[in-house]
Amino acid sequence: MKTKNYTVSFSPTEDQMNDIYSWTTFPSNNFSSIDQAYRQKTICIALFDNLVIGFFAYKLSPRCINIVIAETKQDYRNTGVAKLILAKLADHLSLEGYAAFHLYCSPKESQYTWKHLGFNYYPASRYGKRSEKIKMYKVFVDCCTVLDISGKGHEENIIEIWDEEAGGDDKAATWFARINVDENKKLVKPLIFFGDNKWSIKIDSKFCRYK
């Protein structure tokens, strides 16, 4: 079955939502999250012959899209439904300034599906202080490349990232990114790098909390 026969909608009807509830394998205690996405207009569905065959419920935060719940109907799995929804979501929301997806894998086995869809794991701290949750992300716009600090030379116009809270000058950063700014001192390309909110970054010799 070719995905060209599938369509995507950002405005599902109540009947289509009831269709989702009839086949989803998520337990009923997840229905409130799906319903909230429907009421906030943050749900995207895939259709075949006007029947719902997949959905993504999500939340919006600055620049990023948090995928809360996603599922493809059993008979349509491995036919490109999730890949199509992701592509349409990226096209739709990039126009509004969004740049990346992120999520945590529940069940944990779903990580292999997300990996197949181009998602990467959150970077692990060198100190091993990583949440038990398996978190993944996918950037879909052109942005600054984050590199291992070992590749840094004597250069300006960089942002350094520490995988720890202190970020003191006595310890080397873990990663860095080369940046370009315009005449208004704004980044020409965004810097997107998922990590722990206790990590630190340094910009122009000033340390900031990593958020």
Side-chain angles (χ1 to χ4, degrees), residues 98-118:
Y98 293 93
F101 298 110
H102 67 103
L103 54 85
Y104 80 88
C105 301
S106 180
K108 292 183 177 180
E109 292 76 17
S110 65
Q111 64 183 291
Y112 305 111
T113 297
W114 295 114
K115 188 69 176 176
H116 180 71
L117 291 168

Side-chain angles (χ1 to χ4, degrees), residues 26 30 33-34 37 56-59 65-70 102-104 106:
F26 283 105
N30 290 111
S33 296
I34 300 172
F56 275 44
Y58 55 95
K59 292 181 179 179
I65 304 155
N66 175 213
I67 299 173
V68 179
I69 298 178
H102 67 103
L103 54 85
Y104 80 88
S106 180

